[in-house]
């Protein structure tokens, strides 16, 4: 049977190897930014802000919620924890988790309808404020586009500002794998998306915000990285972030200084 992607044609997006080259990250990022105050200044004058989605923009990990819905939650949650901590490559973790879940199109649609993703407190206000300041906002996720598009719609983020993975289904709705041609399904993908955005829009200052290893690794090419621990605190990320926040209110307060 022929497979097809969910939600239209593939769009270029990206992902990373979750093995954090932490020392390399510090050497690179610290060439231009060495203090929390400099990171804050970069955020205040950003031309574009890119958000991770799972456990950042939304409270949950989308793939874990899908696994629970399909009755294999425990097995997949541990794999997600390892992936987010940087102990395995993202592509391997994604492939292994989906091979356990093997969700149908009907199950995915029912999950979104019955258990829609829950926005993290303060994210709507933050995105609205950024839009008011004519800052471009993007969602770059290792999660699934069908879920991330729902989130983008809630936040008034254009769907062409969404970069995420695509589950594939056979025409009868059965699981057929995932689209591994997407940048977000490969190591280094989030950084490649940011490079692409810089080339496409001419951005000079791009900030990445997220909770996981793939987000931290996006700096560079991101001008700055802000670690987010409002839903889950990952010690490795907290330790290696030049600026680490636990609520979006802290970012809103920073914008008030402008």
């Amino acid at each position: 049977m022929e497979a097809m992607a969910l939600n239209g044609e593939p769009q270029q997006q990206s992902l990373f190897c979750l093995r954090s080259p932490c020392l390399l990250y510090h050497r690179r990022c610290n060439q231009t930014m060495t203090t929390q105050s400099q990171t804050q200044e970069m955020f205040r004058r950003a031309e574009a802000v890119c958000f991770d989605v799972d456990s950042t923009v939304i409270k949950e990990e989308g793939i874990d919620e899908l696994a629970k819905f399909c009755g294999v939650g425990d097995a997949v949650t541990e794999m997600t924890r390892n992936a987010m901590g940087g102990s395995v490559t993202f592509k391997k973790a994604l492939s292994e988790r989906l091979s356990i879940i093997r969700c149908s199109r009907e199950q995915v649609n029912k999950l979104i309808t019955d258990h829609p993703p829950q926005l993290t407190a303060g994210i709507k206000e933050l995105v609205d404020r950024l839009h008011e300041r004519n800052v471009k906002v993007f969602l770059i996720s290792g999660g699934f586009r069908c879920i991330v598009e729902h989130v983008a719609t809630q936040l008034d983020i254009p769907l062409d500002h969404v970069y995420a993975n695509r589950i594939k289904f056979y025409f009868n709705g059965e699981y057929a794998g995932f689209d591994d041609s997407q940048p977000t399904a490969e190591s280094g993908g989030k950084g490649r998306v940011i490079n692409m955005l810089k080339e496409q829009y001419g951005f000079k200052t791009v900030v990445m915000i997220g909770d996981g290893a793939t987000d931290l690794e996006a700096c560079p090419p991101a001008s700055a990285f802000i670690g987010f621990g409002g839903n889950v605190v990952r010690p490795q990320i907290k330790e290696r972030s030049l600026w680490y926040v636990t609520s979006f209110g802290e970012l809103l307060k920073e914008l008030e200084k402008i």
Side-chain angles (χ1 to χ4, degrees):
M1 288 184 288
E2 184 179 353
M4 60 181 180
L6 183 67
N7 280 343
E9 294 183 358
Q11 199 175 26
Q12 276 216 316
Q13 308 157 24
S14 93
L15 251 177
F16 279 80
C17 179
L18 294 168
R19 292 188 182 138
S20 296
C22 304
L23 181 57
L24 181 60
Y25 162 80
H26 276 291
R27 285 174 178 169
R28 287 175 174 176
C29 253
N30 288 354
Q31 290 175 0
T32 55
M33 295 174 40
T34 56
T35 68
Q36 176 176 312
S37 62
Q38 286 174 307
T39 306
Q40 292 168 329
E41 179 184 359
M42 196 73 72
F43 174 65
R44 292 195 302 270
R45 60 185 179 87
E47 298 166 274
V49 175
C50 300
F51 289 92
D52 173 50
V53 177
D54 293 344
S55 295
T56 300
V57 169
I58 63 175
K59 297 178 181 180
E60 57 274 287
E61 289 286 332
I63 195 167
D64 289 349
E65 295 305 305
L66 181 59
K68 292 175 190 175
F69 193 77
C70 295
V72 291
D74 290 343
V76 170
T77 297
E78 181 60 29
M79 296 174 71
T80 298
R81 188 176 299 113
N82 292 335
M84 291 301 101
S87 61
V88 296
T89 63
F90 184 87
K91 188 172 186 178
K92 179 180 179 182
L94 180 62
S95 177
E96 289 178 349
R97 287 178 290 177
L98 281 173
S99 68
I100 293 173
I101 299 170
R102 300 193 65 83
C103 53
S104 67
R105 184 199 306 276
E106 181 181 358
Q107 285 174 314
V108 173
N109 290 339
K110 190 168 176 55
L111 170 68
I112 296 171
T113 300
D114 295 355
H115 303 282
Q118 301 298 304
L119 294 178
T120 300
I123 185 61
K124 183 69 167 69
E125 293 80 1
L126 177 58
V127 170
D128 286 348
R129 181 64 193 278
L130 290 170
H131 281 158
E132 288 172 3
R133 300 184 62 249
N134 294 317
V135 176
K136 302 294 184 183
V137 178
F138 298 86
L139 300 180
I140 307 178
S141 174
F144 305 125
R145 187 173 182 89
C146 50
I147 296 175
V148 177
E149 284 185 344
H150 180 84
V151 174
T153 299
Q154 290 180 278
L155 297 174
D156 295 319
I157 295 173
L159 296 187
D160 63 352
H161 286 198
V162 171
Y163 297 86
N165 289 311
R166 295 175 184 270
I167 304 174
K168 296 193 295 185
F169 301 96
Y170 292 111
F171 284 108
N172 66 358
E174 292 180 358
Y175 174 72
F178 68 97
D179 184 359
D180 61 5
S181 71
Q182 299 301 311
T184 43
E186 287 284 354
S187 62
K190 288 185 179 178
R192 286 200 296 275
V193 169
I194 290 175
N195 267 330
M196 182 192 70
L197 295 176
K198 291 169 77 173
E199 291 175 7
Q200 180 177 345
Y201 293 94
F203 296 140
K204 300 299 183 185
T205 308
V206 180
V207 174
M208 181 74 203
I209 300 173
D211 69 289
T214 62
D215 309 311
L216 180 144
E217 290 172 355
C219 176
S223 311
F225 170 72
I226 301 171
F228 183 76
N231 294 306
V232 58
V233 174
R234 307 190 196 281
Q236 312 97 307
I237 308 306
K238 182 176 182 179
E239 178 184 348
R240 292 160 188 145
S241 298
L242 296 175
W243 185 22
Y244 193 83
V245 301
T246 56
S247 77
F248 288 123
E250 295 174 67
L251 301 182
L252 279 165
K253 185 177 295 185
E254 193 63 34
L255 292 178
E256 292 174 359
K257 298 179 181 179
I258 298 172

